[in-house]
Amino acid sequence: MVSAADRKKKAARQEAARAAATGNRASENGAATATSNSDWNSIKPSLSPWLLEAVTSMGFTKMTPVQASTMPLFLGNKDVVVEAVTGSGKTLAFLIPVVERLLRSGGLKDVVEDGVGKNGPERTRKRGQVGAVIISPTRELAMQIHNVLLSLLAFHAPSAITMPGGGVRADVENIRESRDMRREGKEQDWEEEEEEVMNDITESIEPLPKSEATGPRITPQLLLGGIQTSAVDLKRFLAYDPNILIGTPGRLNELLSSPYVHCTAESFEVLVLDEADRLLDLGFEDTLTKIISKLPKQRRTGLFSATVSDAVVGGLVRTGLRNPVKIVVKVMGEGGDGKEKRTPASLENTYIVSSSHHRLYYLRQILSPNTSLLPTPPKKVIIYLSSCASVDYFASIFQSFIPKSYLLVSLHGKQSPNTRSKNFAKFIGFDSQKSILLTTDLAARGLDIPAVDLVIQLDGPPADPKAFLHRCGRAGRAGRRGMAILFLRPGREEEYLDFLTVRKTPVKKLQLESVSEQTVEDETNEIVRGMREAVRKDRAIWEKGLQAFVSHVRAYTKHVTQSIFRTTDIDWPSLVEAYALLTIPSMPELRSMQGAKKTSDISAGGSTSVTFNLPELDLATFAYKDRAREKSRLAALNAGATPYGIMPSEIARRIAARENRGEAQRRNAAWSNKKEDNEGREERRGKRKRKREMNRPEEERVKEREWRELVEEVKKGKMEENEAKQGLKLNGLD
Ligand SMILES: Nc1ncnc2c1ncn2[C@@H]1O[C@H](COP(=O)(O)OP(=O)(O)OP(=O)(O)O)[C@@H](O)[C@H]1O
C-alpha cells in the first residue's frame, strides 16, 4: 500500500521534474505545495488587484520560479527558508507576501482616535505597532529593498498618500535634520559632500501619486546607521507611525528597544532575514538575537539567500522558525548534462590563470574596446578587491592604464556613510557612460544593478567561499546575459577550480587570444611604469599603496580554504609589481626582504631567493600633494624625523611602550596575528563597556523619561522644530 508520505514524495518528485523542464527547479519539501504555474493569477490565496497591476506595470509578465514556489507558502501559514540563485527575484518573493499579509491582517486597521477610527468603528491598530521587520546585512541592500517596496506601494492608493513618512522624501528629511542637529552640536564628522548626496536624492524624487483613498495602509521606515541619528529615527517613527521596518541590524535593534515601538502578538505578522546566512554569521549574532527576542513568537518568519543552506544548520533555532518549508530553486547546467548549478544560467562563469602583475595586462585587454577579450566590450563592470585599502589605492592609480572611456567609482566599508551613498548612487546613475565599480565584499550580496554585464575578481576569490557566487551574481541577473571572470595564480591556486565544481559553481577557462609571453610581460611592465608614475605624484598615494599591499597579504591569510591559499606560495616580486610599489613595506612576512634595493637578491622566509625591481626613490624629497601635509612633513624632517616620516623620539617612545607591555616577546609574530590581538582587545573592551552600560539602570530611566517627554511633545505638536532638535541634543540622544 502506498502511504501518504510516499504519495507526497512522489508528488514532490513530479513537481521537481516539471520545474526542471523550465530550467529551474523547486525542490525539497516546498515542492509539494508550490505552484509550477508562473501566471500571477494562479497564486492561491490570490493577490490583491493593485498588486497584480503593480507587477504587470513593472513589466513582470510571469512569476520567476522562486516567486511561484515561495509566495503561496509564505502567504499562507508557513515559515520558509528559501535558497535560489542570485538575481532570481527573491526580493518580490518576500515583499509581496509581507504586504498582502499586513493588509489582510485585522491588526492593520487605521489609528484609533477616541475609540473610533477615522474610517469606521472597527479600527484596531494602535499607534506604534509594527507589523513586519525586514533585516538586511548592509545599508545599500536595505535601501534597495526599501525602494522596491516603495515602487510597489505607489500602486496602493492608501499607502501611496502616506509615503512621505517612510519614502525617499523621508530619507532626505532625515539627512537634513541630522545635518542641522550635528551642525548645532558642532560635530566634527559632517562632510561637505553630504550636501551633494542630498541634492542627488532630492533630484531623484518623483512626485507621488495623489489619492483620496482611505483604508488600511502600509508605511515603511528605513533604518540605517550613519546618515541619520537614532533620535531622528525615533522622531520619524512617532510622527509617521510606520508598520514595516526595513534596516540593518544595529539600527533596527536600537529603534525596537524604544518603549514606544511595539511588536505585539496582535499586530506583528512577519520577520524576513534577507541574505540570511550572512546575518546568521557570527558578526551579527548578538544583535540578531536581541531583535528576535523583541518579536512575538507567534509570527511568520522567512529566510532568503542564494546560499542559505549553510545558515540553516546553525541558525534555525535562533531565528525561531517553526516547521519551516525549505524551498530550493536550482538551475540545470548547460548541454542537458543533468548537473545542478548554483549560479544563474544566463551567467558565463570563467577564470584566467595569471601571475599577480600580468592581471593588469589582461584587465586592460578585457576593457579595451578594440582588443577586448570578450565578444562585446563590457559597459558596467564591478571589480572586487580583497580590502578597503586596495580599493582606495587602486582607485587613485587605475586611471593611468584603463581605457579613458570608463568612469571609476569606489565603494567600501571604511568610507563615510555619505561617501558610500554618493558613490553607490553615482555608479547606478551612469547609464549611458561606461563605468567601473571598484569594491570589496561589501557589494557582494543582494545589490541589483541589472546593467552590470561583467564582474571581475581581480584579487582572486573571496576569503569566504560563500561570497564567491554572490560576487558573480551581480551580473547575469533576471535572465540578462552576464559574465564573471575569476583570476587565479598559477600553481596551487588552480585547485580552487575543483573546489568550485564540488560546490556546484563550475567555472570554465576564458578563451584568450594567443599572445606571446614576452608581449604580456612587456605590456605589463609598461602598465606598472605608468602606475608608478601616478604613485610618484603624491606621497599620500605611496603610503596608501603600502597599506593596500599589507592588507592584501593579511586578507590572503584569512582564506577559509587555507590549504589552497598559502602565503608561502606567494610570488612576492610579482605581487610587488602588481601593486606598483616603490618600496617594500616593513612587515614580518617580508622581514628578510627589508631594505631591498634595486634589483637585489633577497631571501624570502629564509628559503626562496627573489628579485625585486624597485625604482630609485628619495624619500626625503618625496612630497605630499596636499600643501599643509607637506609643510608639516618638512617641518618634522627639519626637526630630525626620518625620511619615512616618523620622529626618532616617536620611535623610541613606541619601543618603550611596547617593551612595557611585554610586546617585545611578540615582535616576531606576523602583522596579521598582531592585528587580531588588537581586534580581540577591542572586542573585550567593547564587552566591558556594554556590561557597564547594562549596570546603569538610573541612566536607562532618565533616557526613558526623556523619550516619553519627547513623545508627548511630538504628539501634542507643540514643540517647534528647532526646540525639538535642541531638546534631543541637550538630552544627548543625538
Ligand atoms: N517576475 C519577474 N520577472 C522578471 N524580472 C523580475 C521578476 N521579479 C523580479 N525581477 C527582476 O529581477 C531582478 C533580480 O531580482 P532580485 O534583486 O529580487 O534578485 P535576488 O534573487 O534577490 O538576487 P540576490 O540573491 O542577488 O539578492 C530585479 O531587477 C527584479 O526587478
Side-chain angles (χ1 to χ4, degrees):
M1 209 176 99
V2 184
S3 70
D6 285 343
R7 271 200 304 277
K8 215 170 166 184
K9 274 187 198 159
K10 192 176 167 200
R13 276 198 303 275
Q14 285 169 344
E15 176 62 34
R18 271 198 301 277
T22 62
N24 294 278
R25 211 174 81 178
S27 69
E28 309 269 330
N29 46 354
T33 40
T35 172
S36 63
N37 191 338
S38 58
D39 185 344
W40 291 100
N41 288 302
S42 68
I43 292 194
K44 294 280 175 291
S46 49
L47 298 180
S48 301
W50 73 268
L51 266 173
L52 292 171
E53 191 203 337
V55 287
T56 34
S57 301
M58 288 170 172
F60 304 154
T61 48
K62 301 243 176 267
M63 289 186 283
T64 64
V66 68
Q67 290 162 354
S69 315
T70 306
M71 289 199 293
L73 297 162
F74 207 25
L75 267 169
N77 248 351
K78 294 285 180 202
D79 283 0
V80 292
V81 176
V82 181
E83 180 179 289
V85 293
T86 52
S88 57
K90 293 187 285 296
T91 313
L92 282 183
F94 63 74
L95 280 181
I96 291 177
V98 164
V99 168
E100 275 286 18
R101 286 192 72 93
L102 284 194
L103 289 176
R104 283 173 194 180
S105 75
L108 193 66
K109 304 291 167 57
D110 213 346
V111 181
V112 176
E113 278 168 14
D114 302 327
V116 181
K118 265 193 302 220
N119 304 304
E122 87 282 21
R123 308 299 170 196
T124 56
R125 181 176 176 268
K126 297 192 185 87
R127 259 199 119 73
Q129 284 189 330
V130 175
V133 166
I134 299 171
I135 315 178
S136 140
T138 65
R139 299 155 41 83
E140 285 77 7
L141 183 53
M143 283 162 76
Q144 187 179 288
I145 296 168
H146 182 245
N147 282 339
V148 177
L149 178 57
L150 290 185
S151 57
L152 271 187
L153 294 179
F155 291 84
H156 185 240
S159 303
I161 51 170
T162 63
M163 283 219 289
V168 183
R169 280 161 201 279
D171 295 340
V172 176
E173 285 172 42
N174 282 339
I175 292 172
R176 270 198 188 116
E177 278 181 44
S178 295
R179 179 196 58 189
D180 294 344
M181 288 164 75
R182 287 205 193 114
R183 277 186 180 158
E184 283 165 28
K186 296 192 173 44
E187 283 194 15
Q188 298 291 316
D189 61 347
W190 180 254
E191 292 179 26
E192 280 174 23
E193 60 196 86
E194 197 158 346
E195 197 72 53
E196 259 181 72
V197 181
M198 281 175 47
N199 290 340
D200 285 352
I201 297 175
T202 314
E203 278 163 22
S204 70
I205 298 176
E206 294 290 326
L208 296 165
K210 291 267 175 280
S211 169
E212 295 304 313
T214 54
R217 45 124 190 118
I218 305 277
T219 308
Q221 184 176 1
L222 180 62
L223 297 159
L224 307 172
I227 291 185
Q228 67 258 29
T229 64
S230 42
V232 170
D233 281 342
L234 179 62
K235 200 174 150 208
R236 301 212 75 83
F237 179 87
L238 297 170
Y240 293 109
D241 194 23
N243 43 25
I244 298 186
L245 304 180
I246 302 169
T248 46
R251 191 50 71 89
L252 262 171
N253 183 43
E254 276 180 48
L255 189 80
L256 291 174
S257 307
S258 157
Y260 303 99
V261 181
H262 306 289
C263 295
T264 58
E266 51 175 343
S267 73
F268 196 83
E269 284 283 324
V270 202
L271 166 69
V272 171
L273 273 63
D274 195 17
E275 302 299 340
D277 54 325
R278 179 77 192 100
L279 286 168
L280 291 167
D281 280 352
L282 287 182
F284 291 109
E285 191 182 7
D286 280 357
T287 323
L288 206 64
T289 309
K290 281 181 195 153
I291 292 175
I292 290 169
S293 71
K294 291 175 185 112
L295 307 179
K297 288 196 171 57
Q298 200 63 42
R299 61 160 196 269
R300 293 280 65 80
T301 306
L303 270 59
F304 292 78
S305 179
T307 48
V308 88
S309 33
D310 310 49
V312 171
V313 180
L316 278 187
V317 178
R318 260 181 290 141
T319 53
L321 278 105
R322 295 178 167 194
N323 299 324
V325 177
K326 189 179 171 199
I327 299 162
V328 182
V329 182
K330 287 179 180 166
V331 174
M332 305 313 289
E334 283 167 13
D337 61 1
K339 287 188 185 153
E340 286 167 359
K341 284 205 312 179
R342 297 178 77 198
T343 47
S346 54
L347 178 73
E348 198 181 342
N349 223 343
T350 66
Y351 70 91
I352 297 176
V353 175
S354 149
S355 57
S356 301
H357 65 311
H358 288 164
R359 292 172 192 196
L360 301 168
Y361 159 79
Y362 291 117
L363 180 61
R364 186 169 72 179
Q365 294 296 96
I366 288 164
L367 299 174
S368 168
N370 303 324
T371 55
S372 178
L373 299 175
L374 308 176
T376 49
K379 208 164 163 214
K380 227 174 175 78
V381 184
I382 300 184
I383 299 181
Y384 286 102
L385 296 167
S386 59
S387 74
C388 304
S390 296
V391 169
D392 263 346
Y393 176 57
F394 287 125
S396 313
I397 59 172
F398 263 10
Q399 294 287 17
S400 65
F401 75 95
I402 59 164
K404 298 276 173 281
S405 50
Y406 283 95
L407 294 162
L408 206 57
V409 185
S410 66
L411 183 76
H412 63 74
K414 288 191 181 149
Q415 289 169 333
S416 73
N418 301 308
T419 305
R420 262 168 75 172
S421 306
K422 184 180 138 193
N423 289 1
F424 185 53
K426 242 191 209 173
F427 181 64
I428 294 175
F430 290 143
D431 272 344
S432 51
Q433 279 161 302
K434 290 181 176 178
S435 51
I436 298 174
L437 183 73
L438 272 183
T439 190
T440 61
D441 281 332
L442 172 82
R445 283 173 178 263
L447 300 184
D448 180 47
I449 311 167
V452 171
D453 45 12
L454 177 65
V455 164
I456 301 175
Q457 308 197 45
L458 192 64
D459 265 354
D464 177 0
K466 265 186 290 168
F468 176 82
L469 61 83
H470 289 281
R471 281 179 171 192
C472 300
R474 294 319 99 207
R477 298 177 71 73
R480 283 175 69 114
R481 291 217 68 74
M483 181 179 254
I485 302 175
L486 166 70
F487 277 97
L488 292 170
R489 296 179 176 118
R492 205 191 306 267
E493 283 195 7
E494 290 173 70
E495 289 173 20
Y496 195 71
L497 299 172
D498 298 332
F499 175 78
L500 287 176
T501 307
V502 171
R503 289 177 71 93
K504 295 181 185 149
T505 43
V507 288
K508 62 177 192 202
K509 194 168 184 172
L510 184 67
Q511 292 309 323
L512 304 169
E513 279 170 39
S514 120
V515 244
S516 73
E517 277 180 27
Q518 194 54 49
T519 309
V520 176
E521 184 63 23
D522 291 348
E523 296 213 11
T524 304
N525 287 342
E526 180 215 314
I527 293 170
V528 174
R529 252 195 315 276
M531 280 169 53
R532 281 189 166 131
E533 269 167 35
V535 177
R536 277 178 184 280
K537 286 184 185 149
D538 188 355
R539 187 182 177 103
I541 301 181
W542 164 68
E543 287 177 354
K544 275 187 191 175
L546 296 178
Q547 218 179 331
F549 184 87
V550 172
S551 309
H552 172 74
V553 174
R554 185 169 171 252
Y556 200 80
T557 65
K558 294 277 184 298
H559 267 283
V560 170
T561 41
Q562 276 186 2
S563 59
I564 299 176
F565 299 94
R566 302 182 190 178
T567 29
T568 45
D569 290 345
I570 290 179
D571 177 351
W572 293 102
S574 171
L575 193 61
V576 164
E577 292 288 295
Y579 272 73
L581 295 187
L582 302 179
T583 58
I584 306 228
S586 166
M587 57 192 294
E589 285 86 349
L590 289 170
R591 188 179 302 285
S592 55
M593 302 181 196
Q594 274 184 33
K597 295 282 182 306
K598 194 177 179 185
T599 323
S600 52
D601 283 350
I602 303 155
S603 162
S607 57
T608 324
S609 180
V610 292
T611 302
F612 291 98
N613 224 335
L614 297 173
E616 294 294 346
L617 180 71
D618 180 3
L619 279 170
T621 57
F622 191 13
Y624 288 110
K625 215 169 175 180
D626 181 274
R627 283 207 197 137
R629 218 171 155 194
E630 176 59 10
K631 204 169 150 195
S632 51
R633 184 190 76 86
L634 290 174
L637 197 67
N638 289 334
T642 71
Y644 277 93
I646 302 171
M647 303 277 281
S649 56
E650 172 63 9
I651 294 171
R653 193 194 63 73
R654 285 187 196 174
I655 291 172
R658 202 161 50 207
E659 280 171 356
N660 283 345
R661 291 198 307 266
E663 187 80 8
Q665 294 143 16
R666 283 186 274 161
R667 246 194 321 247
N668 290 328
W671 276 19
S672 41
N673 297 342
K674 286 180 188 173
K675 181 99 185 200
E676 262 174 11
D677 284 355
N678 287 341
E679 282 170 359
R681 222 178 357 259
E682 280 297 312
E683 201 180 308
R684 286 194 295 279
R685 203 173 288 156
K687 268 189 188 159
R688 278 201 300 276
K689 201 174 160 192
R690 284 197 293 277
K691 209 169 165 185
R692 272 202 308 276
E693 286 295 317
M694 282 169 65
N695 290 333
R696 287 159 72 188
E698 175 58 23
E699 203 169 282
E700 284 287 327
R701 279 202 296 275
V702 172
K703 200 169 175 181
E704 193 175 320
R705 199 167 56 237
E706 287 165 348
W707 269 350
R708 199 173 300 129
E709 283 165 10
L710 178 67
V711 173
E712 289 309 315
E713 297 279 13
V714 173
K715 268 189 188 164
K716 286 177 199 160
K718 282 182 181 167
M719 194 163 59
E720 289 296 323
E721 193 88 329
N722 286 339
E723 283 174 6
K725 287 168 194 160
Q726 193 63 21
L728 290 168
K729 193 152 50 54
L730 290 174
N731 292 334
L733 293 174
D734 59 342

